[in-house]
Amino acid sequence: MESFMFLATNNLHKKILAISLLAYGLSDASIASDAEKQVAYDRPVVLTLESWRSEDAKIWNNEILPVFEALHPGIDVVFSPTKPTEYNAALNARLDGNTAGDLISCRPFDNSLELFHRGHLLDITQIDGMKHFSDVAKSAWSTDDGDATFCIPVASVLHGFFYNKNIFSKLDIDKPSTEAEFFDVLKKLDKASGLTPLAIGTKDQWEAATVGLNLVGPQYWEGENGRLGLINGSKAFTDPQFVEAFSVLERWRPYLSRGYQAQSYSDSQSLFLLERAAIYPGGSWEISGFQSEAEFPIGVFRAPVKSEGESCYISDHTDIGIAINSRTAHRNEAMLFAEWLTTQSFANLLTNKLPGFFALSDHPVTVDNPLAQEFLGLRTDCMSTIRLASQILSRGQPSLGNALWTLSAEVLNGTKSPLEAALDSQNIIEGKRK
């Protein structure tokens, strides 16, 4: 009876979701075929998906994962998030204690590479759907020699400046495209009574580097040219272009809110959503949250170039992958899920259910969300790069990535000069090369 009730429930679930499945290019025949493969299950196999994206839990559990479950009656997937700042440590502890989920959300490059080298993640190079990902997409979750890939590339995110269209219109302000225009806009906004030009604080530190330095910096160190130069040693943080990037960040200070040193990430979001700040440096991952709460139209503009006519660069960051825990008790079911992540149906679901997260596969996807389309337009106009310290440079201790959080916050706080921050950063790199 238990087995019958389970199959009957899943058949009903399958029918309820049929329209959604057809919308993503899946036929009734494919549903039936997959259902037939799963009739041997006496009770559901439950896969747990580890993640740091707690704000996305409702969408994953209610809108994305049920599509997979309808294709595979007998497999339930539960999205299980951990607080972002605690995810790495908590995941490591669970993996070491053999209590981690079957599926692991992967941060890019070195953190996940270490998990693979420690034997925690399966090599998924031979999954057939990996042919839908470019070498660039796979590089964030592959060994240095490219011989093994251990996470399905899921999504990238783009960086930019959100702005309040009503405020810009009221003050007759156009989107800036150069450094000079950007600071002219900040000056004009600063003169508006009761308005903070830039919503960013330094309490949590990470924003100062992630949506501060990594947003504007690529215009000065020339994107991948500068990043790869730091890796191969042909460039140094003390070179003028890196010092200048810190200097531009320093120039933000007069345009931040009073007491910004005690302002958290969520405080900055609130300032912007309450229309007490006109510009919010951030990323496409915040589209859903902002659109659900904002009572005003939101636009986005790219990081300004130093001078008119120069090439622009955008932080187009490979952000999320998904791996299989090597110690899962449900390897076959986890493999089915991993293969599904490589399909066009998943690419469509992800891109449109979580606007601002852009699928990394080569499947053609129509982006429905206008603000997400605006972000994608930045990618068309500018050359892509990734966050400065994500690959190789943060290996070992101290982590350059974590150090840049602190150093960027100190530059914004005025407790460290741009040159001092650059010197400290270079010393970390050189210390690990000895």
Side-chain angles (χ1 to χ4, degrees):
M1 177 62 72
E2 180 187 12
S3 176
F4 171 77
M5 288 297 293
F6 169 67
L7 289 173
T9 300
N10 274 278
N11 285 332
L12 178 62
H13 191 201
K14 178 183 71 179
K15 292 176 182 177
I16 292 172
L17 283 168
I19 294 174
S20 296
L21 293 168
L22 289 170
Y24 292 104
L26 299 168
S27 67
D28 287 335
S30 69
I31 296 170
S33 175
D34 280 285
E36 288 165 5
K37 296 175 186 177
Q38 302 302 325
V39 293
Y41 288 106
D42 291 328
R43 56 180 55 84
V45 168
V46 179
L47 301 177
T48 300
L49 171 57
E50 301 266 9
S51 176
W52 65 89
R53 294 285 307 172
S54 54
E55 56 268 60
D56 299 336
K58 185 176 179 180
I59 293 174
W60 274 94
N61 282 324
N62 296 345
E63 300 191 54
I64 296 178
L65 296 176
V67 176
F68 170 80
E69 292 167 347
L71 288 170
H72 297 278
I75 306 176
D76 292 343
V77 187
V78 178
F79 187 84
S80 179
T82 300
K83 187 177 179 181
T85 54
E86 299 171 1
Y87 181 71
N88 288 2
L91 176 63
N92 273 281
R94 287 195 288 268
L95 286 168
D96 288 340
N98 197 25
T99 59
D102 309 273
L103 303 160
I104 310 295
S105 291
C106 307
R107 282 176 161 149
F109 296 107
D110 296 338
N111 285 331
S112 297
L113 180 62
E114 181 184 354
L115 295 180
F116 177 68
H117 284 320
R118 286 165 52 195
H120 290 311
L121 309 180
L122 285 183
D123 182 341
I124 55 171
T125 309
Q126 299 307 315
I127 285 181
D128 184 61
M130 293 304 292
K131 63 189 178 187
H132 293 296
F133 299 94
S134 69
D135 289 342
V136 172
K138 290 185 289 189
S139 68
W141 298 286
S142 295
T143 52
D144 289 347
D145 57 16
D147 286 348
T149 301
F150 42 85
C151 302
I152 301 291
V154 171
S156 69
V157 291
L158 302 170
H159 293 204
F161 289 95
F162 291 97
Y163 70 98
N164 184 316
K165 286 187 173 183
N166 286 347
I167 292 174
F168 270 48
S169 177
K170 181 180 178 181
L171 298 176
D172 194 27
I173 294 174
D174 294 325
K175 291 191 295 185
S177 60
T178 66
E179 178 187 304
E181 291 172 354
F182 179 70
F183 283 100
D184 283 344
V185 167
L186 295 182
K187 289 174 186 176
K188 193 167 186 177
L189 291 168
D190 195 40
K191 293 177 182 177
S193 177
L195 191 64
T196 296
L198 275 174
I200 187 171
T202 58
K203 179 182 178 181
D204 296 332
Q205 295 192 339
W206 69 266
E207 311 99 294
T210 304
V211 295
L213 186 68
N214 279 295
L215 171 53
V216 297
Q219 316 309 314
Y220 300 91
W221 62 66
E222 297 181 341
E224 291 296 272
N225 183 40
R227 187 184 72 85
L228 295 174
L230 289 178
I231 291 174
N232 64 34
S234 64
K235 298 187 186 299
F237 257 106
T238 48
D239 292 345
Q241 61 268 39
F242 293 97
V243 178
E244 190 172 12
F246 278 117
S247 297
V248 171
L249 196 63
E250 182 185 45
R251 291 176 62 192
W252 288 12
R253 194 162 69 247
Y255 306 106
L256 308 184
S257 64
R258 182 178 298 176
Y260 68 88
Q261 298 90 340
Q263 182 177 311
S264 69
Y265 176 54
S266 59
D267 293 334
S268 299
Q269 292 175 318
S270 295
L271 270 178
F272 183 65
L273 290 169
L274 293 171
E275 300 191 71
R276 290 161 51 193
I279 300 173
Y280 178 92
S284 61
W285 61 89
E286 295 175 288
I287 288 176
S288 293
F290 278 174
Q291 289 185 324
S292 67
E293 296 187 41
E295 297 180 355
F296 56 90
I298 299 174
V300 65
F301 61 87
R302 61 170 170 77
V305 296
K306 184 176 179 181
S307 302
E308 191 70 45
E310 290 186 347
S311 298
C312 63
Y313 301 86
I314 184 171
S315 183
D316 184 358
H317 192 66
T318 43
D319 190 53
I320 301 174
I322 293 180
I324 298 172
N325 183 345
S326 62
R327 298 171 78 178
T328 177
H330 308 295
R331 183 173 294 198
N332 290 338
E333 293 80 5
M335 279 288 188
L336 283 173
F337 184 79
E339 186 69 59
W340 180 69
L341 295 175
T342 72
T343 64
Q344 182 166 15
S345 63
F346 174 75
N348 273 313
L349 273 169
L350 178 86
T351 302
N352 288 300
K353 295 297 184 182
L354 287 172
F357 290 88
F358 302 103
L360 283 166
S361 63
D362 61 6
H363 299 295
V365 174
T366 300
V367 179
D368 298 331
N369 185 286
L371 191 52
Q373 287 178 336
E374 252 190 282
F375 263 103
L376 275 180
L378 305 184
R379 179 191 279 172
T380 302
D381 296 337
C382 304
M383 288 182 277
S384 292
T385 184
I386 64 171
R387 295 172 192 163
L388 189 61
S390 292
Q391 184 181 30
I392 298 176
L393 294 173
S394 289
R395 292 178 186 173
Q397 294 298 324
S399 163
L400 179 62
N402 290 345
L404 285 175
W405 292 6
T406 302
L407 293 169
S408 299
E410 288 174 334
V411 168
L412 274 178
N413 289 341
T415 58
K416 188 153 286 187
S417 72
L419 180 58
E420 288 172 330
L423 282 167
D424 286 355
S425 301
Q426 187 60 28
N427 285 339
I428 290 173
I429 293 176
E430 292 179 357
K432 288 191 257 189
R433 284 177 176 158
K434 293 178 180 178

